[in-house]
Amino acid sequence: MTGKRDFETILYEEVGPVAVITLNRPDNANMFTPTPCRQLRDCIEDIRNETRTRAVVLTGAGDKFFCIGGEKGDLEGTNLYPGVVPTLEMFEAIEGLQ
């Protein structure tokens, strides 16, 4: 992954050795749904598999919010809290960057 990569709900750009990941749902306060959770996880996994990146900046689009949490409306019903799996996978990917 070099330069820019296209995702539906996040923006990715490399600026030298810095990866900039932007949550790009400003009309919804950058709330997480399964799609941005999975895209963020995939993007981070790609970063982990290369050696160019020395730092990752995670930011949110818009002027008001980074991210206000998760949007539950389109999540499948489960016995667990809806959205647990994609959210945990995303956080595990972030934690794995250490």
Side-chain angles (χ1 to χ4, degrees):
M1 181 164 70
T2 59
K4 293 184 179 184
R5 180 172 169 184
D6 292 325
F7 292 98
E8 181 183 342
T9 61
I10 66 172
L11 302 174
Y12 173 81
E13 184 176 10
E14 289 179 10
V15 181
V18 178
V20 179
I21 303 171
T22 304
L23 304 176
N24 193 28
R25 300 183 71 222
D27 294 340
N28 294 13
N30 296 316
M31 286 192 289
F32 288 118
T33 66
T35 300
C37 286
R38 289 184 180 111
Q39 290 179 358
L40 185 55
R41 177 205 61 204
D42 292 348
C43 184
I44 289 171
E45 289 300 320
D46 288 347
I47 291 168
R48 288 183 64 211
N49 290 319
E50 49 91 338
T51 58
R52 296 179 308 280
T53 302
R54 298 289 178 232
V56 176
V57 175
L58 181 59
T59 188
D63 296 332
K64 295 183 179 183
F65 304 103
F66 163 68
C67 174
I68 65 167
E71 183 178 324
K72 301 175 195 171
D74 65 344
L75 298 174
E76 296 178 23
T78 70
N79 292 331
L80 299 171
Y81 171 77
V84 163
V85 172
T87 304
L88 289 177
E89 290 173 346
M90 174 190 63
F91 288 134
E92 287 171 355
I94 292 170
E95 185 178 29
L97 282 173
Q98 299 179 26

